[in-house]
Amino acid sequence: KAGVTQTPRYLIKTRGQQVTLSCSPISGHRSVSWYQQTPGQGLQFLFEYFSETQRNKGNFPGRFSGRQFSNSRSEMNVSTLELGDSALYLCASSSPGDKGYNEQFFGPGTRLTVL
Amino acid sequence: LAKTTQPISMDSYEGQEVNITCSHNNIATNDYITWYQQFPSQGPRFIIQGYKTKVTNEVASLFIPADRKSSTLSLPRVSLSDTAVYYCLVGDTGSSYKLIFGSGTRLLVRP
């Protein structure tokens, strides 16, 4: 099976712009989660989508949004970019396992730099 | 969600066994304990998960005492490629797909 793919891998934007990141989960996985990783704050949960519905949400401002399509692919959007949004954005997909727990599979991430 | 505490960093040498302990005093009945590994500029990778006693897979063992207030990840015979950050997570992963990562333990394996 192909792993989680994220596009683009690298992105440079300027303050005030908006950006859209894409994530394709592992085939058959219906849950997609997004995380932000920065040196100062570490790995932080953004939101999780399941069957096109946002099921969990972290503590991020409304500038961060996402959506999931019927094929489980997901996008996240950040509007009005700020310097502090520079980070590695990670997407993870998962599916309930037969052992009663889920294992999240992470993609390689999108490195966003805001100038 | 239970808060976890683990050492900030650890040093080891190739071929040694490494044990990383995680404290989670407020673990709930439905919580599982999960460990992830992360290399620089890559996404975390699932290592092992357990609920109680001992779990072993091809890369690691997880020891959980009866009170479940702590857990120990054991990496047998580490190599240089095991240098990474290791995260301990506690949560009801059966119903929630929201992972809460702490600061992790930075393991450095020396030749």
Side-chain angles (χ1 to χ4, degrees), chain A residues 31 33 35 37 43 45 48 55-57 90 94 96 99-104 106-108 111, chain B residues 32 34 36 38 41-46 49 87 92-102:
Chain A
S31 170
S33 300
Y35 297 82
Q37 186 168 31
L43 263 163
F45 172 80
E48 183 241 348
R55 195 164 59 170
N56 287 287
K57 189 176 189 305
L90 292 158
S94 60
K99 296 180 181 178
Y101 61 81
N102 79 81
E103 170 185 345
Q104 294 205 9
F106 283 80
R111 173 77 62 187
Chain B
Y32 282 81
T34 311
Y36 279 79
Q38 186 179 27
S41 297
Q42 292 185 27
R45 183 176 73 104
F46 174 95
Q49 186 174 82
Y87 295 95
D92 180 5
T93 58
S95 61
S96 170
Y97 292 66
K98 174 181 177 178
L99 298 182
I100 305 298
F101 288 85

Side-chain angles (χ1 to χ4, degrees), chain A residues 25 29-32 48-54 66-75:
Chain A
H29 286 190
R30 295 167 62 190
S31 170
V32 174
E48 183 241 348
Y49 286 86
F50 183 85
S51 293
E52 303 179 65
T53 301
Q54 187 181 88
R67 60 177 175 168
Q68 186 180 35
F69 302 95
S70 58
N71 61 358
S72 294
R73 189 177 70 85
S74 177
E75 289 181 346

